[in-house]
Amino acid sequence: DEDLFISELKDGVWTNPVPMDQVNGDGSSETHCFVTTGFDTIFYSTNYYSAKGDLDLYMITRTGDEWSDPVAMEALNSELNDDSPFLAENGDFYFSSQGHNSMGGYDVFKSRFDNDSNSWQEPENMGYRINTASDDIYFNTFGKIAYLSS
């Protein structure tokens, strides 16, 4: 169904995956998500709300046991597919998009949330070395190492 599932590591064993009902929509594609360490924010991509069927980025937040309604990340969404959200420890938000000023296919972009203006900064194309004429997607970092699929 192209839904997202979650599994937990307990005592060295993974639990059976269960659907992430917080983000999965009926008959839609949820292709990728990033869950914050405290499991209080989920960034994800879906075509559930799209009239054209393209993927867009959304987020939900949790207070106690309640999840918020999905919020479109409009400043980061383009007229084409936007996918593979990742929030780095330093606050940099990475995602891949076929829109904005893509070099070809999906490119990796970076943004940051500005608390003063309560908005996301304009997406910055990560440029050559990270992006190519092919699809560059699923970017994430671990310390000084970055990973992506190209």
Side-chain angles (χ1 to χ4, degrees):
D1 285 350
E2 296 186 36
D3 283 343
L4 295 171
F5 289 74
I6 191 162
S7 177
E8 295 182 65
L9 184 63
K10 292 185 178 179
D11 299 322
V13 177
W14 288 101
T15 61
N16 288 330
V18 295
M20 294 180 70
D21 293 332
Q22 306 91 328
V23 299
N24 293 331
D26 291 336
S28 61
S29 295
E30 288 73 36
T31 58
H32 189 78
C33 72
F34 177 83
V35 181
T36 58
T37 303
F39 199 64
D40 57 0
T41 304
I42 301 174
F43 300 96
Y44 67 104
S45 55
T46 183
N47 67 358
Y48 183 74
Y49 306 98
S50 172
K52 298 185 313 181
D54 60 314
L55 294 168
D56 287 317
L57 300 173
Y58 285 81
M59 65 180 286
I60 60 173
T61 56
R62 185 177 69 161
T63 304
D65 291 335
E66 298 293 319
W67 287 96
S68 69
D69 289 333
V71 175
M73 300 176 75
E74 292 182 16
L76 307 182
N77 289 329
S78 71
E79 69 284 355
L80 300 173
N81 288 313
D82 304 291
D83 199 357
S84 71
F86 174 77
L87 181 64
E89 287 184 16
N90 68 358
D92 288 341
F93 185 82
Y94 298 93
F95 66 100
S96 291
S97 178
Q98 292 175 324
H100 301 290
N101 57 339
S102 174
M103 296 168 57
Y106 279 101
D107 276 3
V108 177
F109 291 84
K110 178 174 80 169
S111 183
R112 184 177 270 275
F113 191 77
D114 183 340
N115 288 317
D116 293 335
S117 65
N118 197 34
S119 63
W120 291 95
Q121 296 174 342
E122 183 174 337
E124 171 190 347
N125 187 306
M126 295 296 293
Y128 175 70
R129 301 273 185 202
I130 299 294
N131 292 316
T132 66
S134 298
D135 287 334
D136 305 297
I137 194 164
Y138 306 117
F139 182 88
N140 65 80
T141 61
F142 183 76
K144 293 185 177 185
I145 297 173
Y147 300 90
L148 75 138
S149 177
S150 181

